[in-house]
Short mmCIF file of all heavy atoms in Angstrom, two decimals:
data_model
loop_
_atom_site.label_atom_id
_atom_site.label_comp_id
_atom_site.label_asym_id
_atom_site.label_seq_id
_atom_site.Cartn_x
_atom_site.Cartn_y
_atom_site.Cartn_z
N LEU K 113 2.99 8.49 -7.36
CA LEU K 113 1.93 9.39 -8.05
C LEU K 113 1.30 8.71 -9.16
O LEU K 113 0.07 8.73 -9.41
CB LEU K 113 2.61 10.71 -8.43
CG LEU K 113 1.70 11.78 -9.14
CD1 LEU K 113 0.67 12.19 -8.11
CD2 LEU K 113 2.35 12.95 -9.47
N GLU K 114 2.11 8.13 -10.17
CA GLU K 114 1.52 7.43 -11.35
C GLU K 114 0.63 6.38 -11.02
O GLU K 114 -0.35 6.13 -11.58
CB GLU K 114 2.65 7.03 -12.31
CG GLU K 114 2.24 6.53 -13.58
CD GLU K 114 3.21 6.17 -14.54
OE1 GLU K 114 4.43 6.25 -14.17
OE2 GLU K 114 2.91 5.68 -15.76
N SER K 115 1.00 5.60 -9.92
CA SER K 115 0.24 4.46 -9.58
C SER K 115 -1.04 4.86 -9.06
O SER K 115 -2.12 4.20 -9.27
CB SER K 115 1.05 3.71 -8.54
OG SER K 115 1.07 4.26 -7.31
N TYR K 116 -1.26 6.01 -8.16
CA TYR K 116 -2.37 6.45 -7.75
C TYR K 116 -3.45 7.05 -8.85
O TYR K 116 -4.56 6.91 -8.73
CB TYR K 116 -2.27 7.50 -6.68
CG TYR K 116 -1.80 6.78 -5.38
CD1 TYR K 116 -0.77 6.97 -4.78
CD2 TYR K 116 -2.76 5.91 -4.67
CE1 TYR K 116 -0.37 6.44 -3.54
CE2 TYR K 116 -2.45 5.28 -3.58
CZ TYR K 116 -1.17 5.66 -2.97
OH TYR K 116 -0.78 4.94 -1.68
N ASP K 117 -2.76 7.45 -9.89
CA ASP K 117 -3.48 7.77 -11.09
C ASP K 117 -4.22 6.60 -11.66
O ASP K 117 -5.20 6.76 -12.34
CB ASP K 117 -2.64 8.48 -12.21
CG ASP K 117 -2.18 9.88 -11.70
OD1 ASP K 117 -2.98 10.49 -10.71
OD2 ASP K 117 -1.27 10.44 -12.25
N LEU K 118 -3.65 5.44 -11.45
CA LEU K 118 -4.23 4.14 -12.07
C LEU K 118 -5.06 3.55 -10.91
O LEU K 118 -5.46 2.21 -11.08
CB LEU K 118 -3.04 3.18 -12.54
CG LEU K 118 -2.29 3.82 -13.73
CD1 LEU K 118 -1.04 3.11 -13.85
CD2 LEU K 118 -3.16 3.77 -14.96
N ASN K 119 -5.47 4.18 -9.89
CA ASN K 119 -6.43 3.67 -8.87
C ASN K 119 -5.89 2.43 -8.09
O ASN K 119 -6.67 1.54 -7.99
CB ASN K 119 -7.82 3.48 -9.57
CG ASN K 119 -8.45 4.72 -10.16
OD1 ASN K 119 -8.37 5.68 -9.40
ND2 ASN K 119 -9.05 4.63 -11.28
N VAL K 120 -4.72 2.40 -7.75
CA VAL K 120 -4.14 1.35 -6.87
C VAL K 120 -4.82 1.52 -5.45
O VAL K 120 -5.05 2.64 -5.06
CB VAL K 120 -2.64 1.15 -6.82
CG1 VAL K 120 -2.12 1.04 -8.28
CG2 VAL K 120 -2.03 2.36 -6.25
N SER K 121 -4.90 0.52 -4.79
CA SER K 121 -5.47 0.49 -3.42
C SER K 121 -4.48 0.99 -2.38
O SER K 121 -4.84 1.84 -1.47
CB SER K 121 -5.97 -0.80 -2.85
OG SER K 121 -7.07 -1.15 -3.80
N ASP K 122 -3.15 0.64 -2.60
CA ASP K 122 -2.17 1.15 -1.72
C ASP K 122 -0.83 0.97 -2.34
O ASP K 122 -0.62 0.26 -3.39
CB ASP K 122 -2.21 0.49 -0.35
CG ASP K 122 -1.74 1.38 0.79
OD1 ASP K 122 -0.92 2.24 0.58
OD2 ASP K 122 -2.37 1.24 1.97
N TYR K 123 0.28 1.62 -1.79
CA TYR K 123 1.62 1.54 -2.30
C TYR K 123 2.53 1.25 -1.11
O TYR K 123 2.69 2.14 -0.18
CB TYR K 123 1.81 2.99 -2.92
CG TYR K 123 3.19 3.05 -3.74
CD1 TYR K 123 3.16 2.94 -5.10
CD2 TYR K 123 4.37 3.32 -3.04
CE1 TYR K 123 4.27 3.15 -5.83
CE2 TYR K 123 5.52 3.54 -3.69
CZ TYR K 123 5.51 3.39 -5.13
OH TYR K 123 6.64 3.55 -5.92
N LEU K 124 3.11 0.09 -1.13
CA LEU K 124 4.01 -0.29 0.04
C LEU K 124 5.47 -0.28 -0.33
O LEU K 124 5.78 -0.91 -1.44
CB LEU K 124 3.63 -1.73 0.52
CG LEU K 124 2.22 -1.95 0.98
CD1 LEU K 124 2.05 -3.38 1.25
CD2 LEU K 124 1.88 -1.04 2.04
N LEU K 125 6.41 0.40 0.45
CA LEU K 125 7.69 0.53 0.12
C LEU K 125 8.42 -0.52 0.93
O LEU K 125 8.23 -0.90 2.00
CB LEU K 125 8.16 1.80 0.66
CG LEU K 125 7.93 3.08 -0.28
CD1 LEU K 125 8.36 4.29 0.39
CD2 LEU K 125 8.55 2.94 -1.64
N LYS K 126 9.29 -1.16 0.15
CA LYS K 126 10.15 -2.35 0.77
C LYS K 126 11.25 -1.69 1.54
O LYS K 126 11.80 -0.76 1.15
CB LYS K 126 10.73 -3.22 -0.41
CG LYS K 126 9.70 -3.87 -1.22
CD LYS K 126 10.36 -4.66 -2.31
CE LYS K 126 9.40 -5.36 -3.28
NZ LYS K 126 10.08 -5.99 -4.38
N PRO K 127 11.68 -2.36 2.74
CA PRO K 127 11.14 -3.59 3.25
C PRO K 127 9.91 -3.26 3.91
O PRO K 127 9.59 -2.18 4.51
CB PRO K 127 12.14 -3.92 4.36
CG PRO K 127 12.85 -2.65 4.65
CD PRO K 127 12.87 -1.74 3.41
N ILE K 128 8.76 -4.07 3.78
CA ILE K 128 7.44 -3.84 4.15
C ILE K 128 7.25 -4.42 5.64
O ILE K 128 7.44 -5.67 5.81
CB ILE K 128 6.42 -4.57 3.20
CG1 ILE K 128 6.72 -4.08 1.76
CG2 ILE K 128 5.06 -4.39 3.65
CD1 ILE K 128 5.95 -4.86 0.69
N ALA K 129 6.81 -3.57 6.51
CA ALA K 129 6.50 -4.04 7.80
C ALA K 129 5.11 -4.69 7.80
O ALA K 129 4.20 -4.23 7.07
CB ALA K 129 6.56 -2.78 8.78
N PHE K 130 4.90 -5.55 8.77
CA PHE K 130 3.71 -6.29 8.75
C PHE K 130 2.45 -5.41 9.11
O PHE K 130 1.42 -5.48 8.48
CB PHE K 130 3.66 -7.40 9.76
CG PHE K 130 2.32 -8.18 9.75
CD1 PHE K 130 1.93 -9.04 8.75
CD2 PHE K 130 1.48 -7.99 10.88
CE1 PHE K 130 0.67 -9.74 8.73
CE2 PHE K 130 0.24 -8.74 11.02
CZ PHE K 130 -0.17 -9.53 9.83
N ASP K 131 2.63 -4.50 10.06
CA ASP K 131 1.47 -3.57 10.36
C ASP K 131 1.15 -2.66 9.22
O ASP K 131 -0.10 -2.43 9.10
CB ASP K 131 1.81 -2.83 11.75
CG ASP K 131 3.00 -1.78 11.38
OD1 ASP K 131 3.94 -2.16 10.55
OD2 ASP K 131 3.23 -0.76 12.01
N ARG K 132 2.06 -2.30 8.51
CA ARG K 132 1.70 -1.51 7.26
C ARG K 132 1.06 -2.42 6.14
O ARG K 132 0.07 -1.92 5.51
CB ARG K 132 2.97 -0.94 6.74
CG ARG K 132 2.77 -0.03 5.48
CD ARG K 132 1.98 1.28 5.82
NE ARG K 132 1.76 2.07 4.53
CZ ARG K 132 0.67 1.87 3.90
NH1 ARG K 132 -0.27 0.93 4.10
NH2 ARG K 132 0.55 2.77 2.83
N PHE K 133 1.43 -3.65 6.08
CA PHE K 133 0.80 -4.52 5.15
C PHE K 133 -0.63 -4.88 5.63
O PHE K 133 -1.55 -4.68 4.74
CB PHE K 133 1.60 -5.86 5.22
CG PHE K 133 0.99 -6.99 4.41
CD1 PHE K 133 1.21 -7.15 3.08
CD2 PHE K 133 0.14 -7.86 5.06
CE1 PHE K 133 0.64 -8.18 2.40
CE2 PHE K 133 -0.55 -8.85 4.35
CZ PHE K 133 -0.20 -9.10 2.96
N TYR K 134 -0.75 -5.04 6.81
CA TYR K 134 -2.20 -5.29 7.40
C TYR K 134 -3.21 -4.00 7.20
O TYR K 134 -4.28 -4.24 6.83
CB TYR K 134 -2.16 -5.59 8.80
CG TYR K 134 -3.46 -6.09 9.22
CD1 TYR K 134 -3.82 -7.34 9.17
CD2 TYR K 134 -4.37 -5.21 9.92
CE1 TYR K 134 -5.03 -7.92 9.62
CE2 TYR K 134 -5.53 -5.61 10.38
CZ TYR K 134 -5.93 -7.09 10.25
OH TYR K 134 -7.24 -7.46 10.63
N LYS K 135 -2.58 -2.87 7.29
CA LYS K 135 -3.44 -1.77 7.22
C LYS K 135 -3.95 -1.66 5.69
O LYS K 135 -5.06 -1.20 5.36
CB LYS K 135 -2.60 -0.44 7.49
CG LYS K 135 -3.34 0.81 7.37
CD LYS K 135 -2.58 2.07 7.75
CE LYS K 135 -3.23 3.32 7.58
NZ LYS K 135 -2.50 4.51 8.05
N ALA K 136 -3.08 -1.94 4.77
CA ALA K 136 -3.39 -1.87 3.27
C ALA K 136 -4.41 -2.94 2.96
O ALA K 136 -5.37 -2.64 2.29
CB ALA K 136 -2.11 -2.04 2.46
N VAL K 137 -4.25 -4.11 3.41
CA VAL K 137 -5.18 -5.22 3.07
C VAL K 137 -6.51 -5.06 3.71
O VAL K 137 -7.45 -5.27 3.24
CB VAL K 137 -4.56 -6.59 3.21
CG1 VAL K 137 -3.42 -6.81 2.30
CG2 VAL K 137 -4.28 -6.90 4.73
N GLU K 138 -6.49 -4.38 4.93
CA GLU K 138 -7.78 -4.17 5.61
C GLU K 138 -8.67 -3.19 5.04
O GLU K 138 -9.76 -3.29 4.92
CB GLU K 138 -7.43 -3.84 7.09
CG GLU K 138 -8.68 -3.65 7.95
CD GLU K 138 -8.30 -3.16 9.23
OE1 GLU K 138 -7.46 -2.18 9.50
OE2 GLU K 138 -8.94 -3.66 10.30
N LYS K 139 -7.90 -2.22 4.36
CA LYS K 139 -8.62 -1.25 3.64
C LYS K 139 -9.34 -1.88 2.38
O LYS K 139 -10.62 -1.72 2.06
CB LYS K 139 -7.74 -0.14 3.05
CG LYS K 139 -8.39 0.99 2.22
CD LYS K 139 -7.45 2.05 1.94
CE LYS K 139 -6.25 1.82 1.22
NZ LYS K 139 -5.42 2.89 0.95
#
């Protein structure tokens, strides 16, 4: 919640799956 208040593009929880990673960077 605090990170989105600071306008981050995405928030990835470890362990990070590649498909979730790709979705974030594609955005």
Side-chain angles (χ1 to χ4, degrees):
L113 181 60
E114 184 175 4
S115 70
Y116 281 116
D117 287 341
L118 293 168
N119 295 319
V120 301
S121 297
D122 213 329
Y123 189 97
L124 301 179
L125 284 175
K126 300 175 183 178
I128 302 168
F130 179 74
D131 63 331
R132 182 67 181 86
F133 173 89
Y134 188 86
K135 181 179 179 181
V137 298
E138 186 180 38
K139 177 169 63 176

